[in-house]
Amino acid sequence: MAKTASVLSTVAFTTTSLPPAAIAAKKVQEVVETVDNTNKLLAAGAGVVAAGAAAIKLTSGSGAQDFLEASPYWDQSEVKVNTFKNKAPFTGKVVSTKRIVGPKATGETCHIVIDHKGDFPYWEGQSWGVIPPGTREKDGKPHSVRLYSIASSRYGDDMTGNTGSLCVRRATYWCPELKADDPAKKGICSNFLCDTTAGDEVVMTGPSGKVMLMPEEDPSTDYIMVATGTGIAPYRGFIRRLFYEDTPAAKAYKGQAWLFLGVANSDALLYDDEFQQAKEKFPDNFRLDYALSREQENKKGGKMYIQDKVEEYADEIFTKLENGAHMYFCGLKGMMPGIQDMLAEVCKSKGIDYDEWIKGLKKKKQWHVEVY
């Protein structure tokens, strides 16, 4: 997008120095070329047009993702919550379901894109509820809602504002007696979602939650994002908004977003290609650290869990929090005690009362937790 903007500004600059007649002639030439190119594109077939739609959208007009923004863009007073409820849910349609982990990953994780036609707006950090089809065996009542953090920005993966994505791990139960997965104990909703195909309907509620929203009013704010497994979902939305899309937030952002992700091994890494691109393009604004429990060792020679990786940077994280950084936790709640113990030790070494310190972070809304 920066390159596109640069080209457009160069064209604008070069034409301003021309006389009016020359400018008019140039505009006529550009219109003829545009019509000619359009005819060539149409002649190439509908499939090409469809495949290029997103790219055309990004480079036409202002080229910006700004049509779903508040005014000003950081104003969260109108963020929608619980637009659709259990008794009056929304029905979306699956666009695609794709396995996004390698063969040696512990379990299967899928990325599911759902079309909501722009009728189910949300903000990065919010969740969708999903009501799986069928009824419960024990009482014949409909299944209850399961919450999933949304894994895309408000514009969706296709930038149209008509889709949203979920990152779902298939929940299975290994029975030691059967020495096989017990289908009677598998996760109802996760298996339904991971088994969906294009066109399948998904009954949803929400969006829910404001705890994980990004405070964008101060563009120098640092974000420290800690995740285990599919807890990566909201942060993918954050990172796409700040580093991939041509949003007002991305244009203004001057802080540092620091992502910690804990998974079992390299095959279980999620969205690594996207994160590596962001790191390469914005080395001063995006940091990335992985904790691979089956491939790395912590400083004590044990398995490297997320709390161990965060502990390596304890003093730096403490300093960032003291300077106003916001820290996020999403994923398994088992990571929290270790991280809190680590920060308590840092406070102790500095002669600070940990309980009062953490209370202060919560009061200033710098501490965001969504664990399960």
Side-chain angles (χ1 to χ4, degrees):
M1 288 310 303
K3 289 183 179 179
T4 303
S6 175
V7 171
L8 292 175
S9 63
T10 302
V11 171
F13 177 78
T14 55
T15 56
T16 54
S17 62
L18 295 174
I23 293 174
K26 184 171 181 62
K27 286 185 176 178
V28 170
Q29 179 187 357
E30 288 173 350
V31 169
V32 171
E33 289 177 350
T34 300
V35 171
D36 184 49
N37 288 337
T38 301
N39 289 335
K40 288 178 181 178
L41 182 61
L42 292 173
V48 174
V49 174
I56 293 171
K57 182 177 181 62
L58 290 176
T59 55
S60 63
S62 66
Q65 283 80 57
D66 57 10
F67 54 93
L68 294 178
E69 301 297 319
S71 182
Y73 73 89
W74 42 260
D75 182 10
Q76 298 179 356
S77 61
E78 300 297 324
V79 175
K80 303 293 184 184
V81 177
N82 297 325
T83 306
F84 296 95
K85 301 177 175 63
N86 292 29
K87 293 183 178 180
F90 178 87
T91 301
K93 282 196 173 182
V94 173
V95 176
S96 62
T97 299
K98 180 183 178 183
R99 178 187 170 106
I100 55 171
V101 291
K104 295 181 181 179
T106 52
E108 180 180 17
T109 301
C110 294
H111 182 76
I112 301 143
V113 180
I114 299 172
D115 184 4
H116 60 78
K117 298 182 179 179
D119 297 328
F120 202 161
Y122 59 87
W123 279 40
E124 301 77 17
Q126 290 192 295
S127 299
W128 272 341
V130 176
I131 304 175
T135 57
R136 301 186 303 199
E137 287 187 10
K138 63 179 180 180
D139 55 18
K141 293 182 179 180
H143 290 294
S144 57
V145 174
R146 273 73 161 181
L147 288 178
Y148 294 91
S149 296
I150 301 170
S152 54
S153 80
R154 69 192 71 179
Y155 295 98
D157 291 356
D158 59 1
M159 312 289 190
T160 64
N162 294 328
T163 67
S165 303
L166 298 179
C167 179
V168 181
R169 175 168 173 166
R170 186 188 295 274
T172 58
Y173 175 75
W174 178 265
C175 178
E177 294 181 4
L178 295 175
K179 293 185 179 180
D181 286 336
D182 185 347
K185 295 181 180 179
K186 67 181 183 180
I188 299 294
C189 197
S190 66
N191 280 270
F192 158 67
L193 288 170
C194 289
D195 287 335
T196 55
T197 57
D200 287 349
E201 294 187 341
V202 180
V203 179
M204 303 188 295
T205 64
S208 66
K210 290 186 177 182
V211 172
M212 298 291 283
L213 298 180
M214 282 193 295
E216 296 178 332
E217 184 171 1
D218 180 357
S220 65
T221 300
D222 288 343
Y223 303 118
I224 303 168
M225 305 164 284
V226 184
T228 57
T230 56
I232 196 68
Y235 310 141
R236 179 179 184 259
F238 290 3
I239 291 161
R240 289 181 71 85
R241 177 167 175 79
L242 294 177
F243 303 119
Y244 275 81
E245 300 173 355
D246 190 14
T247 60
K251 290 176 181 176
Y253 191 58
K254 300 294 187 292
Q256 185 182 78
W258 191 355
L259 174 63
F260 291 88
L261 171 61
V263 292
N265 55 34
S266 300
D267 267 22
L269 289 173
L270 302 169
Y271 309 113
D272 179 58
D273 53 342
E274 296 183 13
F275 300 152
Q276 295 296 343
Q277 286 177 27
K279 184 179 178 182
E280 182 179 349
K281 292 178 68 176
F282 302 95
D284 296 330
N285 303 103
F286 181 62
R287 290 174 69 173
L288 179 63
D289 278 282
Y290 289 145
L292 307 177
S293 60
R294 299 192 180 183
E295 295 180 7
Q296 299 173 334
E297 289 186 353
N298 60 27
K299 63 182 182 182
K300 296 177 182 177
K303 292 183 176 181
M304 175 69 80
Y305 291 110
I306 190 70
Q307 57 267 33
D308 301 314
K309 179 57 67 173
V310 173
E311 185 178 4
E312 291 182 6
Y313 303 95
D315 286 326
E316 189 175 357
I317 289 171
F318 183 90
T319 300
K320 282 182 174 291
L321 288 169
E322 284 284 272
N323 291 333
H326 283 244
M327 194 163 188
Y328 294 80
F329 302 90
C330 191
L332 298 175
K333 62 183 178 182
M335 67 175 163
M336 295 303 298
I339 290 172
Q340 290 173 309
D341 290 345
M342 173 268 293
L343 289 172
E345 284 298 315
V346 176
C347 285
K348 184 178 179 181
S349 68
K350 297 179 181 295
I352 296 172
D353 185 298
Y354 171 75
D355 291 332
E356 288 299 316
W357 180 74
I358 203 78
K359 188 185 296 183
L361 291 179
K362 292 176 180 179
K363 185 176 181 180
K364 290 180 282 188
K365 298 182 179 179
Q366 291 175 245
W367 192 259
H368 310 256
V369 182
E370 194 168 83
V371 294
Y372 42 83

